[in-house]
């Protein structure tokens, strides 16, 4: 399985900037997990192959350019963009984003080939398919309804915490999986800002360390993501100081493979 954290921005030479402001993981050039930068960072080839989008929660950094992505492709889509989310999250997207006020209600619109966007609700704890991937979602602990994900292509298995503070079901789900090749876990704020991390339901490096004690798998790669750009250097230092085996900071624009 190939995974890329899509860049949030590019420098003057077109190189991906390290700072992560938006969240969008591209899997095998076909499926995206969240869609923060989907409308600005895909290559032309990727724009033709990504038709499945899993939305973990409706926060702006996770959906910012999703409406732009659908808009750009409106005339050429031969199949709909499928938005996989819980019914609750779909309801929030319809109420707050695709509401004919912020942006068109694309799920009700068609081009000459048919529908341009379609909601595909999934149930908590029940495996579903997104393109070639098998996915299971459970609630995590964030200030809006949010899911963490376990994703498998039949060979490799990876997990995404999404945005969360201390959580339980996510670890139970992962511990039940036969194998785990990589874990993508958030580390938003430095340790000194723990009160804000707790209020906004995010993790600090120290909280991340405590969360990892709930994990029974060994030897997988652990990639820290969702580091607030303003505190990036401090958070990276604090993550290094944890001295956890195979814990690294995920680089935007780099293709990882498991
Ligand atoms: Zn969030
Ligand atoms: Zn976020």
């Amino acid at each position: 399985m190939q995974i890329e954290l899509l860049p949030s921005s590019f420098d003057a030479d077109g190189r991906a900037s390290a700072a992560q402001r938006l969240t969008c993981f591209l899997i095998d050039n076909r499926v995206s997990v969240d869609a923060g930068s989907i409308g600005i960072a895909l290559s032309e080839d990727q724009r033709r192959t990504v038709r499945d989008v899993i939305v973990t929660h409706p926060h702006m950094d996770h959906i910012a350019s999703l409406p732009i992505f659908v808009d750009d492709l409106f005339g050429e889509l031969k199949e709909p963009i499928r938005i996989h989310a819980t019914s609750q999250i779909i309801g929030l997207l319809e109420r707050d984003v695709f509401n004919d006020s912020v942006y068109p209600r694309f799920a009700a619109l068609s081009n000459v080939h048919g529908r341009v966007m379609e909601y595909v609700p999934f149930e908590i704890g029940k495996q579903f398919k997104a393109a070639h991937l098998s996915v299971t979602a459970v609630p995590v602990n964030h200030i809006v309804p949010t899911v963490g994900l376990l994703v498998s292509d039949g060979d490799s298995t990876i997990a995404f915490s999404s945005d969360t503070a201390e959580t339980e079901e996510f670890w139970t789900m992962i511990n039940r999986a036969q194998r785990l090749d990589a874990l993508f876990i958030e580390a938003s704020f430095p340790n000194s800002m723990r009160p804000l991390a707790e209020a906004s339901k995010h993790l600090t490096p120290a909280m991340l360390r405590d969360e990892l004690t709930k994990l029974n798998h060994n030897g997988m790669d652990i990639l820290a993501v969702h580091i607030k750009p303003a505190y990036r250097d401090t958070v990276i230092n604090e993550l290094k100081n944890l001295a956890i085996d195979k814990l690294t900071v995920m680089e935007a624009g780099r293709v990882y493979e498991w």
Side-chain angles (χ1 to χ4, degrees):
M1 211 181 326
Q2 284 191 339
I3 295 129
E4 179 186 355
L5 171 63
L6 290 185
S8 299
S9 55
F10 299 87
D11 67 17
D13 298 320
R15 280 188 299 257
S17 307
Q20 186 195 343
R21 297 189 168 78
L22 304 169
T23 294
C24 183
F25 299 96
L26 182 62
I27 304 179
D28 294 338
N29 293 322
R30 287 179 70 185
V31 178
S32 83
V33 169
D34 286 327
S37 40
I38 195 170
I40 57 171
L42 290 180
S43 69
E44 283 305 310
D45 283 346
Q46 290 165 340
R47 279 154 50 89
R48 278 190 282 273
T49 53
V50 179
R51 293 294 177 265
D52 292 87
V53 178
I54 303 168
V55 176
T56 67
H57 69 299
H59 274 162
M60 186 61 90
D61 51 323
H62 298 253
I63 58 149
S65 65
L66 176 59
I68 309 303
F69 176 62
V70 181
D71 194 354
D72 278 354
L73 292 170
F74 192 99
E76 65 189 83
L77 284 166
K78 296 199 169 64
E79 58 181 305
I81 304 291
R82 288 173 289 274
I83 310 291
H84 303 264
T86 64
S87 319
Q88 191 178 23
I89 292 168
I90 290 169
L92 295 171
L93 292 173
E94 278 291 278
R95 189 193 70 182
D96 298 334
V97 181
F98 298 104
N99 56 9
D100 283 338
S101 170
V102 171
Y103 229 57
R105 208 173 279 287
F106 282 132
L109 300 179
S110 301
N111 64 16
V112 294
H113 304 289
R115 295 272 181 216
V116 295
M117 191 176 98
E118 179 180 279
Y119 294 109
V120 188
F122 59 74
E123 284 176 42
I124 292 295
K126 207 169 153 189
Q127 196 176 73
F128 64 94
K129 293 290 272 188
H132 61 305
L133 302 174
S134 301
V135 185
T136 310
V138 291
V140 290
N141 178 20
H142 197 35
I143 47 175
V144 293
T146 303
V147 293
L149 304 172
L150 187 70
V151 177
S152 173
D153 66 356
D155 293 322
S156 315
T157 302
I158 60 176
F160 297 91
S161 73
S162 190
D163 292 9
T164 189
E166 297 94 338
T167 191
E168 299 302 330
E169 267 183 271
F170 177 66
W171 302 113
T172 308
M173 168 176 73
I174 293 178
N175 287 338
R176 262 196 241 116
Q178 300 242 311
R179 60 182 288 164
L180 184 67
D181 298 281
L183 167 68
F184 303 85
I185 184 166
E186 75 129 283
S188 294
F189 291 107
N191 291 331
S192 63
M193 296 178 75
R194 186 168 184 141
L196 179 57
E198 284 174 349
S200 59
K201 304 270 189 180
H202 285 293
L203 296 175
T204 64
M207 293 163 77
L208 178 151
R209 176 200 58 211
D210 293 345
E211 286 303 285
L212 290 178
T213 63
K214 303 172 185 172
L215 183 60
N216 292 342
H217 294 278
N218 292 310
M220 69 276 140
D221 291 301
I222 304 170
L223 294 104
V225 295
H226 206 276
I227 299 168
K228 295 282 181 188
Y231 315 110
R232 187 172 168 85
D233 291 347
T234 309
V235 171
I236 289 175
N237 266 329
E238 290 175 354
L239 287 167
K240 276 191 191 135
N241 290 340
L242 295 178
I244 292 171
D245 195 30
K246 295 187 128 182
L247 169 63
T248 55
V249 173
M250 191 171 195
E251 291 171 40
R254 174 175 156 190
V255 178
Y256 293 73
E257 187 148 11
W258 285 277

